[in-house]
C-alpha cells in the first residue's frame, strides 16, 4: 500500500497506520512528513480541555455532529494520559463518540507517555496526517492537568476549557492557570444544580483576561446549547483564518526550535556517555571535591 496516496484518498486504515508510524517509528515518520509537509498548515485546530469528569467526550461527540452539519469534516485526537498499552479511558471515550464516528468523524487516541516534548512532535505530525486526509477542523481533547495544555496551546488555533458544577475544584483549577489559554469557557451539564453559580464565578474570574473569552452554558447530554457552541466555533475559526499565516509561521518557529534543541540534547547525551572528562568530573562531584555548577561549567567548555 502506498500510504501517502491512500492518505490523500482518506483511507482510514492508511490514516491509522500513518499515525502509528508517527508515534513509534521516527525514521519512517520523517519519510511520510517529507512527502506531505508542503500541503500542511491549512486546517483549523481546536483544543478542548478541562478537568476529568467535565463531560468532554460527550460534548465533542455532539459538537462534531453539529460541525459536520455545517459542512465540516471533523477529526478528533484524544490525548490519553494513561497507558499506551491498555488505551486507558479512551476506550470509554470512543464508546461515547460512536454517533459522531458514524457521521464521518475520525477519532484517534494518542498516548502522552508522561513526556511533554514528545507529545508535541507526535501531535503536530498526527495533525498533518489528518490534514492531508482532508479533515478540517481537527479537535484535540486532553485532560486539564498542567503541562500538556501548554504543549497543546502551541499547536491549536482555538482553546476551549470545559467545566461542570460537580467537578468540585473547578475554580481552583481556573486559578491554576487555565484562564490564560481559553478562547471559550463552557459550563457543561448546565442542567445540574450550581451551574448558574459556576457560570457567574467563571465569568467574573476571567473578566480580567486579555483574550476577552466567551463564557457559555451547554448540556451535551440533552444537546442544549451545543448548536450555539458549534456556530461560535465557526465564527471564531473564520476570524482566526485572517491571522492563520502569521500564526503558522510562529508555530513553525517554535517547532523548529524544539527539534533543534532535542537533537542537540540527544547529541550531548551521547557525548557525555562516552566522555572520560565527564566521568572524571562526576567522580569529583560524588566525592564532594567540587560542586556540580563548577563541574558543569568545565565540562561544557570542553563540549562547545
Amino acid at each position: 500500500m502506498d500510504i501517502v496516496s491512500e492518505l490523500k484518498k482518506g483511507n482510514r486504515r492508511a490514516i491509522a497506520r500513518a499515525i502509528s508510524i508517527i508515534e513509534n517509528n521516527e525514521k519512517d515518520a520523517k519519510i511520510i512528513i517529507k512527502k506531505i509537509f508542503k500541503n500542511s498548515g491549512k486546517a483549523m485546530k481546536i483544543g478542548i480541555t478541562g478537568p476529568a469528569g467535565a463531560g468532554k467526550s460527550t460534548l465533542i461527540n455532539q459538537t462534531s455532529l453539529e460541525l459536520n452539519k455545517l459542512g465540516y469534516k471533523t477529526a478528533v485526537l484524544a490525548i490519553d494520559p494513561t497507558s499506551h498499552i491498555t488505551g486507558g479511558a479512551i476506550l470509554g471515550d470512543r464508546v461515547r463518540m460512536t454517533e459522531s464516528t458514524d457521521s464521518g468523524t475520525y477519532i484517534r487516541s494518542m498516548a502522552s507517555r508522561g513526556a511533554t516534548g514528545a507529545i508535541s512532535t507526535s501531535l503536530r505530525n498526527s495533525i498533518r496526517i489528518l490534514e492531508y486526509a482532508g479533515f478540517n477542523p481537527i479537535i484535540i481533547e486532553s485532560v486539564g492537568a498542567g503541562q500538556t495544555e501548554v504543549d497543546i496551546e502551541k499547536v491549536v488555533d482555538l482553546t476551549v476549557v470545559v467545566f461542570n458544577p460537580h467537578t468540585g475544584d473547578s475554580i481552583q483549577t481556573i486559578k491554576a492557570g487555565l484562564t490564560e489559554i481559553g478562547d471559550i469557557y463552557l459550563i457543561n451539564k448546565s442542567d445540574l444544580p450550581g451551574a448558574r453559580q459556576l457560570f457567574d464565578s467563571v465569568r467574573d474570574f476571567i473578566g480580567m483576561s486579555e483574550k476577552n473569552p466567551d463564557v457559555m452554558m451547554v448540556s451535551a447530554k440533552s444537546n442544549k446549547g451545543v448548536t450555539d457552541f458549534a456556530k461560535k466555533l465557526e465564527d471564531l475559526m473564520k476570524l482566526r483564518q485572517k491571522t492563520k499565516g502569521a500564526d503558522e509561521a510562529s508555530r513553525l518557529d517554535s517547532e523548529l526550535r524544539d527539534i533543534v534543541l532535542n537533537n542537540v540534547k540527544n547529541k550531548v547525551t551521547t557525548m557525555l556517555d562516552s566522555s572520560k572528562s565527564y566521568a572524571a568530573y562526576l567522580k569529583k562531584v560524588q566525592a564532594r571535591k567540587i560542586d556540580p555548577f563548577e563541574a558543569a561549567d568545565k565540562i561544557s567548555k570542553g563540549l562547545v
Side-chain angles (χ1 to χ4, degrees):
M1 179 173 68
D2 180 356
I3 197 164
V4 173
S5 63
E6 289 300 310
L7 282 176
K8 194 67 176 175
K9 296 174 189 175
N11 183 315
R12 297 204 168 209
R13 284 182 63 193
I15 296 168
R17 184 178 166 198
I19 293 178
S20 292
I21 290 171
I22 292 298
E23 287 191 288
N24 302 307
N25 189 326
E26 185 178 354
K27 183 180 177 181
D28 288 350
K30 287 179 178 178
I31 294 171
I32 294 174
I33 297 305
K34 187 178 182 68
K35 292 179 179 179
I36 71 174
F37 179 72
K38 288 182 180 179
N39 296 300
S40 67
K42 300 180 182 72
M44 297 300 292
K45 284 89 72 179
I46 302 167
I48 297 186
T49 186
K56 297 183 295 296
S57 298
T58 305
L59 173 70
I60 290 171
N61 177 62
Q62 296 298 338
T63 304
S64 297
L65 287 169
E66 293 297 330
L67 287 171
N68 292 347
K69 286 178 188 175
L70 292 170
Y72 294 96
K73 187 179 177 184
T74 312
V76 179
L77 286 171
I79 308 301
D80 181 2
T82 56
S83 168
H84 179 57
I85 306 300
T86 64
I90 301 305
L91 292 172
D93 289 347
R94 283 180 170 167
V95 170
R96 288 188 287 271
M97 292 184 193
T98 50
E99 196 177 354
S100 62
T101 306
D102 293 342
S103 78
T105 300
Y106 182 86
I107 300 169
R108 170 71 180 228
S109 60
M110 294 184 67
S112 66
R113 302 178 193 179
T116 54
I119 196 176
S120 291
T121 302
S122 295
L123 187 57
R124 284 162 170 153
N125 289 322
S126 295
I127 287 168
R128 288 176 176 132
I129 296 293
L130 291 169
E131 264 189 314
Y132 195 76
F135 290 97
N136 184 18
I138 297 161
I139 295 174
I140 308 358
E141 179 195 4
S142 74
V143 176
Q147 182 61 41
T148 306
E149 277 52 63
V150 177
D151 279 348
I152 287 172
E153 197 191 10
K154 290 181 182 179
V155 300
V156 299
D157 299 286
L158 299 168
T159 303
V160 180
V161 181
V162 185
F163 295 107
N164 84 69
H166 287 187
T167 303
D169 60 347
S170 306
I171 300 302
Q172 265 58 47
T173 310
I174 297 171
K175 291 177 182 176
L178 287 178
T179 44
E180 299 170 11
I181 65 171
D183 296 288
I184 302 175
Y185 287 84
L186 290 184
I187 309 305
N188 192 18
K189 305 185 182 181
S190 60
D191 46 347
L192 293 179
R196 171 55 63 175
Q197 183 181 359
L198 179 58
F199 173 82
D200 291 339
S201 297
V202 172
R203 188 175 54 183
D204 291 345
F205 192 81
I206 67 167
M208 52 193 119
S209 170
E210 290 182 19
K211 281 191 174 185
N212 191 28
D214 291 282
V215 184
M216 304 176 71
M217 293 181 73
V218 298
S219 176
K221 191 172 182 180
S222 63
N223 208 28
K224 180 182 176 183
V226 178
T227 302
D228 290 339
F229 170 54
K231 287 178 179 176
K232 173 60 69 175
L233 284 176
E234 181 176 45
D235 291 344
L236 287 176
M237 285 192 288
K238 287 177 179 177
L239 196 63
R240 291 294 162 87
Q241 199 66 50
K242 296 175 183 177
T243 59
K244 184 75 171 167
D247 292 341
E248 282 299 317
S250 176
R251 288 194 195 104
L252 288 171
D253 176 21
S254 176
E255 180 178 7
L256 185 57
R257 287 173 185 268
D258 283 350
I259 294 170
V260 170
L261 288 172
N262 189 57
N263 287 348
V264 170
K265 180 184 176 183
N266 290 339
K267 189 173 182 180
V268 170
T269 298
T270 302
M271 291 169 68
L272 292 179
D273 287 344
S274 60
S275 169
K276 292 180 180 178
S277 174
Y278 176 80
Y281 278 114
L282 175 60
K283 285 183 179 179
K284 289 182 181 181
V285 171
Q286 290 170 336
R288 299 295 195 276
K289 293 179 179 178
I290 185 174
D291 69 81
F293 291 106
E294 184 180 350
D297 285 341
K298 292 179 182 296
I299 293 166
S300 300
K301 286 176 183 177
L303 293 174
V304 179

